[in-house]
């Protein structure tokens, strides 16, 4: 089974909480604040690994979590940062945020890429000391991160993509022209995941991909369907391998036409990609006839046909020389436009909200995720913390919303069930 598209859950580490602490020192009010900051949560990073070929490992592990930051401590001790988590994937893996559908990264190099940032550590009470606030008894909690689902989709990166029906000799050709060792046998679908090989031609080289065999109806998902077509999307040119011998009772021209139909149905852009046809298995009886059919049909349309036999290496050198010449005039491998790192925390943001309503006794009530975040930041028993609380209500538009809701100076309001006096 080819595994080149999976859905996994990733979660960056939570930030550690800031500490509320006071040192014991003579002549310093309340001993002096010395609560340290919390550590930052670990990031989620992805790294392209050239030794990986499929996403099969993600069939068994689908949840990945980075380390949490530690809480701050006494004596201005900062919490330890959480450990980053690096997830290795094959080159050519595209990461898509399921929630938004945007492409987060298209991984090509071996440099780890940050995909989901860890939560920032909260500030300790030592950071809130001012000339008029000598003994702050509150600190900020660390940012709590949210888990996100991402789709990993492997799109092979190659200069030349081998296409054709199963068992036409694609794997054999790759094994002859490169150091790749694809599985080869006399039955269909031996290639179930892409095999890439570097083909050297004198002073230059290129990457060739042996892709799973294509069948009729693939553009509608038959057989390996889209799993196959996904890999050819980014190749610079197509090497269409056709069994010229008709040894299985197939018509080479019909085979060619069926494969072309599937490519065009899947992507008109893909169908316009530069193409060379290799008339394969020329060492078998009847292959000369099939080659002549292909040549007479395709060369008037500007499509070159090269007779080859991977088994005897007949015509292989000429084919590689033609591919090298064509690649010199073609644009580089297409990369997908990225939209950057996912950044989302369980904290006050534009996506969080609050709702106003009236209780059974007529008292205005304010509830919602934004109010939850505010309450996580305060100590109701500390006057300085409550002044900070009042400022947050003003800055985030909650005071203005209460005025517009008809709340008057001196009236009671309830925030998350806690009763407060509304004071202008």
């Amino acid at each position: 089974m080819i595994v080149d598209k999976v859905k996994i859950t990733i979660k960056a580490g939570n930030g550690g909480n800031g500490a509320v602490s006071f040192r014991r020192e003579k002549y310093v009010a309340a001993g002096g604040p010395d609560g340290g900051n919390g550590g930052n949560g670990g990031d989620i990073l992805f790294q392209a690994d050239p030794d990986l070929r499929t996403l099969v490992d993600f069939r068994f592990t689908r949840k990945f979590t980075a380390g949490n930051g530690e809480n701050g401590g006494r004596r201005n001790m900062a919490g330890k940062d959480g450990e980053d988590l690096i997830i290795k994937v094959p080159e050519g893996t595209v990461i898509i945020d399921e929630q938004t559908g945007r492409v987060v990264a298209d991984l090509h190099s071996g440099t780890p890429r940050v995909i989901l940032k860890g939560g920032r550590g909260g500030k300790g009470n030592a950071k809130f000391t001012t000339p008029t606030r000598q003994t702050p008894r509150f600190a900020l909690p660390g940012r709590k991160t949210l888990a996100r689902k991402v789709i990993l989709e492997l799109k092979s990166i190659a200069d030349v993509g081998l296409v054709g029906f199963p068992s036409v000799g694609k794997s054999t050709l790759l094994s002859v022209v490169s150091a790749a060792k694809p599985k080869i046998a006399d039955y269909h679908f031996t290639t179930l995941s892409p095999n890439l090989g570097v083909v050297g031609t004198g002073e230059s080289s290129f990457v060739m991909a042996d892709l799973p065999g294509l069948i009729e109806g693939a553009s509608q998902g038959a057989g390996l369907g889209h799993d196959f077509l996904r890999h050819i999307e980014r190749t610079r040119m197509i090497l269409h391998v056709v069994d010229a011998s008709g040894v299985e009772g197939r018509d080479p021209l019909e085979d060619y036409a069926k494969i072309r139909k599937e490519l065009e149905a899947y992507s008109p852009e893909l169908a316009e990609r530069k193409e060379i046809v290799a008339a394969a298995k020329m060492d078998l009886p009847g292959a000369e006839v099939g080659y002549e059919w292909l040549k007479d049909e395709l060369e008037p349309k500007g499509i070159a046909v090269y007779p080859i036999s991977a088994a005897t290496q007949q015509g292989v050198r000429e084919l590689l020389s033609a591919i090298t010449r064509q690649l010199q005039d073609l644009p580089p491998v297409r990369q997908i436009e990225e939209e950057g790192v996912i950044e989302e925390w369980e904290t006050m943001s534009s996506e969080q909200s609050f709702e106003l309503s009236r209780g059974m006794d007529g008292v205005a009530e304010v509830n919602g995720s934004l109010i939850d975040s505010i309450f996580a930041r305060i100590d109701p028993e500390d006057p300085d913390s409550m002044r900070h609380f009042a400022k947050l209500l003003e800055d985030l538009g909650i005071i203005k919303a209460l005025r517009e809701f008809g709340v008057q100076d001196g009236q009671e309001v309830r925030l998350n069930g806690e009763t407060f006096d509304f004071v202008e």
Side-chain angles (χ1 to χ4, degrees):
M1 174 181 176
I2 182 170
V3 181
D4 61 2
K5 185 175 182 180
V6 296
K7 184 190 299 182
I8 64 172
T9 300
I10 57 176
K11 184 181 184 298
N14 296 330
N17 296 327
V20 176
S21 175
F22 296 90
R23 68 183 182 275
R24 300 192 179 279
E25 184 177 332
K26 193 174 182 179
Y27 305 123
V28 178
D34 69 348
N37 297 337
N40 296 325
D43 298 335
I44 294 286
L45 302 93
F46 281 78
Q47 181 180 19
D49 187 337
D51 293 329
L52 298 178
R53 288 287 177 265
T54 77
L55 300 171
V56 66
D57 291 343
F58 296 94
R59 290 179 59 197
F60 311 104
T61 304
R62 293 183 179 266
K63 187 171 183 179
F64 300 84
T65 305
N68 294 328
E70 294 183 358
N71 296 333
R74 301 176 60 185
R75 301 179 183 177
N76 291 304
M77 294 288 289
K80 183 181 177 181
D81 291 343
E83 288 194 19
D84 296 338
L85 177 64
I86 299 177
I87 303 171
K88 294 187 177 183
V89 295
E91 288 187 321
T93 299
V94 177
I95 303 174
I96 302 167
D97 179 20
E98 185 191 47
Q99 183 174 320
T100 63
R102 65 188 182 92
V103 174
V104 180
D106 183 6
L107 299 173
H108 293 254
S109 72
T111 303
R113 296 274 301 277
V114 175
I115 301 302
L116 192 60
K117 293 186 68 64
R120 191 170 60 231
K123 292 181 180 180
N125 68 332
K127 295 294 184 181
F128 292 96
T129 305
T130 68
T132 59
R133 185 170 59 203
Q134 296 292 315
T135 57
R137 298 181 181 279
F138 66 92
L140 290 185
R143 281 178 165 171
K144 311 304 179 189
T145 60
L146 297 175
R148 294 295 288 259
K149 291 186 183 296
V150 294
I151 297 167
L152 308 183
E153 189 169 310
L154 178 58
K155 297 173 182 282
S156 297
I157 302 171
D159 297 296
V160 180
L162 295 168
V163 306
F165 274 95
S167 199
V168 294
K170 302 188 300 297
S171 298
T172 303
L173 176 61
L174 182 66
S175 70
V176 167
V177 301
S178 75
K181 302 299 180 186
K183 184 178 179 181
I184 302 170
D186 292 330
Y187 51 85
H188 292 176
F189 300 113
T190 55
T191 302
L192 295 178
S193 61
N195 291 300
L196 277 69
V198 177
V199 181
T201 56
E203 296 182 358
S204 63
S205 64
F206 58 86
V207 178
M208 180 180 286
D210 168 27
L211 303 171
L214 194 59
I215 66 170
E216 194 172 7
S219 59
Q220 281 74 48
L224 295 177
H226 295 156
D227 291 335
F228 166 88
L229 292 161
R230 183 179 297 121
H231 289 286
I232 197 175
E233 275 186 282
R234 296 207 291 196
T235 56
R236 297 170 63 194
M237 68 178 293
I238 295 170
L239 177 57
H240 192 153
V241 182
V242 182
D243 180 357
S245 71
V247 68
E248 296 185 359
R250 308 180 66 93
D251 184 316
L253 284 176
E254 287 185 8
D255 281 1
Y256 173 83
K258 287 175 180 177
I259 298 297
R260 290 298 308 176
K261 181 180 178 181
E262 297 305 326
L263 295 179
E264 291 164 6
Y266 179 74
S267 168
E269 178 188 356
L270 181 59
E272 294 297 319
R273 206 69 50 87
K274 180 65 181 179
E275 178 188 44
I276 288 179
V277 173
K281 301 187 180 182
M282 291 299 297
D283 56 311
L284 298 181
E288 283 292 342
V289 176
Y291 165 61
E292 292 297 332
W293 288 350
L294 289 166
K295 184 178 178 181
D296 292 345
E297 176 70 22
L298 301 178
E299 290 196 343
K301 300 176 182 178
I303 302 170
V305 182
Y306 288 84
I308 69 164
S309 168
T312 65
Q313 300 193 31
Q314 171 191 343
V316 170
R317 180 176 297 180
E318 292 78 6
L319 174 64
L320 297 182
S321 296
I323 292 171
T324 302
R325 291 193 300 271
Q326 293 287 352
L327 288 174
Q328 292 174 351
D329 299 326
L330 296 177
V333 173
R334 183 172 67 90
Q335 290 188 241
I336 299 174
E337 184 178 351
E338 301 175 338
E339 299 186 55
V341 65
I342 302 172
E343 288 190 334
E344 182 173 324
W345 298 280
E346 191 178 293
T347 184
M348 292 181 292
S349 70
S350 59
E351 295 183 3
Q352 291 183 314
S353 62
F354 62 91
E355 296 178 350
L356 286 84
S357 60
R358 295 265 180 199
M360 297 291 290
D361 54 3
V363 174
E365 297 183 346
V366 190
N367 296 286
S369 57
L370 188 57
I371 308 302
D372 293 337
S373 291
I374 294 173
F375 268 75
R377 293 166 173 258
I378 65 169
D379 176 3
E381 302 300 321
D382 180 65
D384 285 332
S385 182
M386 294 311 293
R387 281 192 285 273
H388 182 64
F389 170 64
K391 186 176 186 300
L392 287 174
L393 295 181
E394 185 72 51
D395 292 347
L396 295 168
I398 297 169
I399 297 296
K400 179 181 178 182
L402 284 167
R403 290 194 196 103
E404 294 174 350
F405 196 64
V407 177
Q408 302 295 318
D409 186 31
Q411 290 184 340
E412 289 185 345
V413 296
R414 276 194 290 269
L415 286 82
N416 275 16
E418 298 287 339
T419 302
F420 299 87
D421 291 329
F422 185 75
V423 180
E424 289 281 13

